[in-house]
Amino acid sequence: MAADAVEARHRDGDAGIWELHTARWSHSRLICAAGLRAAAAVAPSGSAGTAARWAALADRIVAGTAADSLHPSGRWQRSPTDPRVDTALLLPALRGAVPAGDPRTLATLRTVRADLVQDHFVYRFRHDARPLQDAEGAFLLCGFVMALAEHQQGDAVEAVRWFERNRAACGPAGLYAEEFDVAQRQLRGNLPRAFVHALLLEAATTLAGAD
């Protein structure tokens, strides 16, 4: 099962959420921890030992990631050898790997806001010294992740602002590409992208259920 695969292979590298070169991506490891915590929470009665083992493994994965991929500023960094911030690193707190109020969660969110945002659109990560928009378009998936992250922190107004800005970046058919050119106000990249629409629906449902 999935938990067994995580237990056997969580130290291995992978191509990561953005399907790049193989590395020990922090996001991948922390999301595994989130999955283990979720599995432990719904383990059948009578399997308390298994649930405890999964929870303990999640703790070890988070601790191991913190040992080699915590930036000196206190935020998560992309990998042991890549100190940059990545919007994907907002997802572990949303999925339950670490608490919303964890200092690492808050520091990562602050850095994403400061380094990867333009006009309420969000980029995945900074490729190099070029302006963000010269390397690629903003990722609409990341905009909806920001809406969820702000909601998790209790800022309902900012969450809706992020949601509405990115929701409006669709084509005439109401579909979303993976990227949006902030300067030219046009879609960029593949169309349609299921993961953008999935995060749109998740953010819409989450924000609609807020007080």
Side-chain angles (χ1 to χ4, degrees):
M1 61 187 309
D4 295 329
V6 170
E7 187 170 28
R9 304 192 59 182
H10 69 271
R11 296 181 182 84
D12 297 347
D14 70 286
I17 186 173
W18 307 127
E19 299 179 342
L20 303 172
H21 59 276
T22 298
R24 298 186 67 239
W25 300 109
S26 300
H27 165 270
S28 297
R29 291 184 283 165
L30 294 171
I31 286 297
C32 283
L36 289 165
R37 296 198 198 286
V42 298
S45 59
S47 58
T50 299
R53 179 166 59 88
W54 291 343
L57 177 57
D59 289 342
R60 292 198 302 274
I61 291 174
V62 172
T65 308
D68 64 19
S69 296
L70 191 66
H71 191 267
S73 66
R75 62 165 172 81
W76 298 112
Q77 63 182 45
R78 301 186 74 214
S79 75
T81 59
D82 188 339
R84 292 172 293 176
V85 71
D86 191 312
T87 303
L89 293 169
L90 299 179
L91 286 167
L94 292 172
R95 302 306 184 219
V98 292
D102 188 297
R104 298 166 295 192
T105 299
L106 300 175
T108 302
L109 179 56
R110 285 194 301 269
T111 306
V112 171
R113 287 194 201 111
D115 292 0
L116 299 179
V117 167
Q118 181 181 1
D119 196 18
H120 267 75
F121 292 100
V122 194
Y123 295 82
R124 297 184 297 171
F125 54 88
R126 188 174 291 278
H127 287 262
D128 46 42
R130 290 176 294 170
L132 289 165
Q133 68 273 14
D134 290 353
E136 66 178 10
F139 262 58
L140 295 175
L141 163 68
C142 295
F144 294 122
V145 169
M146 279 293 289
L148 290 168
E150 296 288 5
H151 172 267
Q152 186 182 50
Q153 296 303 324
D155 193 337
V157 172
E158 190 65 10
V160 171
R161 184 176 293 128
W162 279 107
F163 177 80
E164 290 297 338
R165 172 63 96 188
N166 287 269
R167 182 192 62 80
C170 61
L175 297 175
Y176 296 84
E178 63 181 350
E179 299 178 44
F180 186 75
D181 188 315
V182 179
Q184 298 186 25
R185 287 297 196 268
Q186 63 183 13
L187 300 177
R188 183 190 290 186
N190 296 325
L191 177 77
R193 297 300 292 170
F195 62 7
V196 179
H197 298 81
L199 263 294
L200 163 70
L201 293 172
E202 179 182 352
T205 301
T206 300
L207 270 59
D211 292 333

